[in-house]
C-alpha cells in the first residue's frame, strides 16, 4: 500500500468517525492531545498566556463577589444584572482573557 492509498483510507476512517457523536468526541480528544505542549512555548507566548489567565481570574473574582442564583441560567444573563461598573470590568477582563 502506498502513501496515497494510506492517506485515502485514513481520510475515509476519519469521515466515518465524524458522522457519529461518539466518534466526533474521540476526534476532538485526539486533536486536543496533538496541540503543542506549553513547554514548547516561547517566553513571549508564555507571558501572553499568563496575562490572559490573570484576566480570566480577575473576571472570576469580580463575579464571585455576587450571588449567582438560578434566576440567571447563563453567564451573560448574570453579568447583565450586575451594576454597570462591574459589567464593564468583567467584560474587559473576559475580552482580555480571550473569552469574549
Amino acid at each position: 500500500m502506498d502513501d496515497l492509498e494510506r492517506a485515502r483510507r485514513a481520510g475515509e476512517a476519519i469521515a466515518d468517525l465524524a458522522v457519529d457523536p461518539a466518534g466526533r468526541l474521540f476526534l476532538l480528544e485526539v486533536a486536543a492531545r496533538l496541540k503543542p505542549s506549553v513547554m514548547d512555548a516561547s517566553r513571549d507566548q508564555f507571558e501572553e498566556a499568563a496575562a490572559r489567565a490573570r484576566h480570566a481570574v480577575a473576571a472570576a473574582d469580580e463575579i464571585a463577589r455576587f450571588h449567582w442564583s438560578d434566576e440567571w441560567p447563563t453567564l451573560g444573563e448574570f453579568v447583565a444584572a450586575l451594576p454597570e461598573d462591574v459589567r464593564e470590568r468583567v467584560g474587559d477582563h473576559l475580552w482580555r482573557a480571550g473569552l469574549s
Side-chain angles (χ1 to χ4, degrees), residues 55-69 74-76 78-80 82 86-87 89-91 93-94 99:
H55 282 290
V57 169
D61 288 346
E62 286 280 350
I63 291 166
R65 293 179 31 221
F66 298 88
H67 176 69
W68 186 348
S69 73
T74 67
L75 177 62
F78 178 61
V79 170
L82 296 174
V86 177
R87 279 196 314 267
R89 285 194 305 271
V90 169
H93 284 305
L94 291 174
L99 299 172

Side-chain angles (χ1 to χ4, degrees), residues 27-37:
L27 290 173
L28 288 172
E29 289 173 359
V30 168
R33 289 189 178 119
L34 293 177
K35 287 183 180 178
S37 168

Side-chain angles (χ1 to χ4, degrees), residues 12-68:
E12 289 174 355
I14 290 171
D16 288 344
L17 278 172
V19 171
D20 179 60
R24 282 193 298 277
L25 179 60
F26 171 76
L27 290 173
L28 288 172
E29 289 173 359
V30 168
R33 289 189 178 119
L34 293 177
K35 287 183 180 178
S37 168
V38 70
M39 300 307 262
D40 295 330
S42 69
R43 181 179 180 166
D44 289 342
Q45 290 170 322
F46 177 75
E47 287 175 355
E48 182 180 325
R52 285 194 312 268
R54 284 191 295 275
H55 282 290
V57 169
D61 288 346
E62 286 280 350
I63 291 166
R65 293 179 31 221
F66 298 88
H67 176 69
W68 186 348

